[in-house]
Amino acid sequence: MIHFKYFIICLVIFSQCKYFQKEEKIGYGTKWMEGPKEELLEGNIYYIRNNVDTNSEYLFKRLNLDPRAIAKLGVIPYVRKLEGYFKNKSYEDVSYELDTKLSEAIAIKFGLLKMVENDYGEKRIENYGEDEIKKYVAFISASLEKKQGICNLSKFFETQYKKIEIRAYQAFDPFLDPETKEPLYYNLTYRIDFVHNLDPKLSEDSKERTHAITIAMRFNPNRNSTDIEISRIINHCPIPELQDAEEEE
């Protein structure tokens, strides 16, 4: 009987340790919800809690994800990389940062790719390969060099910004390991604002105040790694209704 009691005690302690281990693992936990509305993370980069859009915080909370910690792990290094591209006028590098959905929409809009019908009468994007990708990158790079960047991408190269804001936006159910049922990765979305006007009277998301993007992130909690691409240029390039060339500002 004594041995059985010891076994039960050890089992309870082990279970508690496993629980707290998950809480302390990078990217998990709810301590971030006790944080302020605005927090300086590094240099001129701030983490802004989406208190108004409560659904954004709920999406992370229900998965026990810590968007602030994930931002420090992956978003900050990505922002610094983009800063370097903007400063050094690395147009080609930025072209490759646009995700597939956005790139295909731009390519179709400007005649670099076509929609075709399959045998069932369904429209889809024509097959394309390395040559078409090179033409697309060259097209984007040339437009940026002429300061006529598609979706107003030129704004990010030419505007002097004073502050960068990171906001957690969306969190989706994880892709699970088929055997262990443990999360392999999460698909997340963040918004990044490159703020060039700090006038408090301006609306937070107005073009007079900020040029903003959303990024699509794949977060791997087992490797503490992230893969990130630009998924949207806010207020400049919505999908699928891309602006006409003459509408560019």
Side-chain angles (χ1 to χ4, degrees):
M1 182 64 70
I2 294 177
H3 292 295
F4 179 74
K5 287 182 178 180
Y6 280 134
F7 173 75
I8 295 298
I9 292 172
C10 291
L11 182 62
V12 170
I13 293 173
F14 175 77
S15 299
Q16 290 178 339
C17 288
K18 291 292 286 183
Y19 173 80
F20 287 115
Q21 182 181 14
K22 186 176 182 180
E23 279 290 313
E24 294 174 358
K25 191 174 181 180
I26 294 177
Y28 288 105
T30 57
K31 289 183 180 179
W32 61 274
M33 299 197 72
E34 301 171 7
K37 175 178 173 54
E38 181 173 317
E39 179 182 358
L40 177 62
L41 296 183
E42 175 186 304
N44 61 339
I45 301 178
Y46 291 77
Y47 180 77
I48 310 295
R49 287 188 57 190
N50 252 338
N51 292 320
V52 177
D53 183 5
T54 54
N55 189 53
S56 292
E57 294 208 337
Y58 166 75
L59 293 173
F60 284 83
K61 181 183 177 182
R62 77 180 183 88
L63 296 172
N64 193 37
L65 291 175
D66 183 339
R68 176 187 172 279
I70 297 171
K72 293 179 71 174
L73 174 70
V75 182
I76 288 179
Y78 188 73
V79 167
R80 292 305 187 201
K81 180 172 75 169
L82 291 181
E83 278 190 302
Y85 290 163
F86 298 152
K87 180 179 179 181
N88 298 318
K89 304 291 191 280
S90 302
Y91 304 130
E92 184 174 309
D93 289 323
V94 170
S95 301
Y96 280 111
E97 292 300 325
L98 305 182
D99 75 0
T100 300
K101 187 176 180 181
L102 179 55
S103 297
E104 288 179 345
I106 293 172
I108 290 170
K109 180 68 178 182
F110 292 93
L112 302 174
L113 289 176
K114 294 183 291 186
M115 298 293 292
V116 296
E117 286 190 1
N118 61 19
D119 294 338
Y120 302 98
E122 300 169 333
K123 286 192 173 183
R124 62 172 181 79
I125 299 173
E126 64 178 335
N127 294 329
Y128 61 91
E130 187 175 345
D131 289 343
E132 287 76 16
I133 293 173
K134 286 181 178 179
K135 289 179 182 178
Y136 162 78
V137 170
F139 174 75
I140 297 293
S141 300
S143 72
L144 289 170
E145 288 178 10
K146 297 174 184 177
K147 298 185 179 181
Q148 299 173 348
I150 304 304
C151 301
N152 281 302
L153 274 171
S154 297
K155 301 280 188 181
F156 295 89
F157 291 89
E158 306 302 329
T159 306
Q160 295 294 318
Y161 45 87
K162 303 173 182 178
K163 178 184 180 184
I164 299 173
E165 297 174 345
I166 298 172
R167 289 174 173 83
Y169 203 62
Q170 292 175 303
F172 300 94
D173 289 337
F175 183 84
L176 302 178
D177 184 297
E179 296 183 0
T180 66
K181 304 304 180 184
E182 288 292 314
L184 290 178
Y185 63 82
Y186 296 84
N187 287 320
L188 312 174
T189 306
Y190 282 81
R191 171 177 171 141
I192 304 173
D193 283 84
F194 294 84
V195 182
H196 56 269
N197 190 334
L198 298 177
D199 186 347
K201 292 180 291 186
L202 293 174
S203 172
E204 279 192 349
D205 63 350
S206 68
K207 286 185 282 188
E208 291 74 23
R209 177 182 184 271
T210 179
H211 300 307
I213 61 175
T214 60
I215 58 171
M217 170 193 288
R218 176 174 288 189
F219 167 57
N220 184 326
N222 303 304
R223 298 179 180 176
N224 289 331
S225 64
T226 58
D227 294 314
I228 301 175
E229 294 177 308
I230 297 173
S231 56
R232 187 179 177 191
I233 298 100
I234 297 175
N235 288 331
H236 295 305
C237 203
I239 291 180
E241 55 276 14
L242 286 169
Q243 291 177 319
D244 291 328
E246 60 268 24
E247 293 175 353
E248 297 287 336
E249 298 178 6

